[in-house]
Amino acid sequence: MSSYTTALLFHVLGATVWTGGHLVLALGVLPGALKERSPVAVQAFEVRFERVGIPALLIQVFTGLYLATTLAPPSTWLELDNPATRAIVIKLGLLAATVALAAHARLRVIPHLTAQNLGTLAWHVVAVTIISVAFVVIGVGYRVGLLS
Ligand code: HEM
């Protein structure tokens, strides 16, 4: 197996954890917590998911950058004249948005989480989940020719 294929395999495995975990949080945990106006279930999930989810995101970034630099030299990424550079730049934008939202939630919202501001965290969760699905759509879209 080539190193590109190995990196792609880890990239897709990381995607199942990152995107799958957020879908479970957004669709399986969050609605009940909002209904009961209780942050406890969300906090419990976040604490457990962080231990697996953050390493998965780091794997995504490292394998993603390896795949991207193998497909196109970084100096050409902003040219956007082919599907690979378009996918790479969109993914870097999605990554920046993910980091900004996650940092804001972790540093500003979660430490002071109460029933009153649970809605603020909910919007962060929904936004990061939609972005995580967009990562998958762009990744698969590149492979099947949607970005041509
Ligand atoms: C949580 C973040 C990410 C997720 C969930 C994700 C998910 C995916 C998925 C599902 C694929 C499709 C693989 C296939 O169809 O075979 C893919 C491909 C790809 N991803 Fe990501 N990705 C993420 C982050 C990144 C980052 C940060 C980069 C770097 C810019 C990146 C670069 C790529 C590239 C270049 C491909 C195309 C590989 C190929 O088809 O040969 N990804 N990604």
Side-chain angles (χ1 to χ4, degrees):
M1 196 158 48
S2 73
S3 47
Y4 191 93
T5 308
T6 308
L8 187 57
L9 189 62
F10 278 99
H11 197 72
V12 174
L13 276 175
T16 64
V17 173
W18 182 253
T19 305
H22 278 90
L23 286 170
V24 171
L25 174 59
L27 302 175
V29 179
L30 194 58
L34 286 172
K35 204 169 150 200
E36 289 162 19
R37 298 182 143 272
S38 164
V40 179
V42 179
Q43 276 166 327
F45 186 91
E46 290 272 4
V47 168
R48 289 202 174 87
F49 181 63
E50 248 179 29
R51 284 185 220 136
V52 187
I54 298 299
L57 180 61
L58 291 175
I59 287 173
Q60 292 309 101
V61 174
F62 287 118
T63 55
L65 289 174
Y66 171 76
L67 296 169
T69 46
T70 308
L71 286 172
S75 58
T76 65
W77 287 358
L78 290 179
E79 288 169 15
L80 302 177
D81 57 352
N82 65 73
T85 54
R86 284 195 278 275
I88 292 164
V89 166
I90 295 172
K91 286 216 165 189
L92 290 175
L94 294 173
L95 180 63
T98 300
V99 171
L101 280 164
H104 188 256
R106 192 73 191 80
L107 302 174
R108 293 286 174 92
V109 186
I110 291 173
H112 316 288
L113 196 59
T114 61
Q116 278 68 41
N117 64 2
L118 187 57
T120 311
L121 182 65
W123 278 114
H124 283 76
V125 169
V126 169
V128 173
T129 305
I130 291 171
I131 294 171
S132 76
V133 172
F135 270 116
V136 174
V137 172
I138 296 299
V140 174
Y142 163 72
R143 188 155 276 271
V144 301
L146 283 182
L147 298 178
S148 303

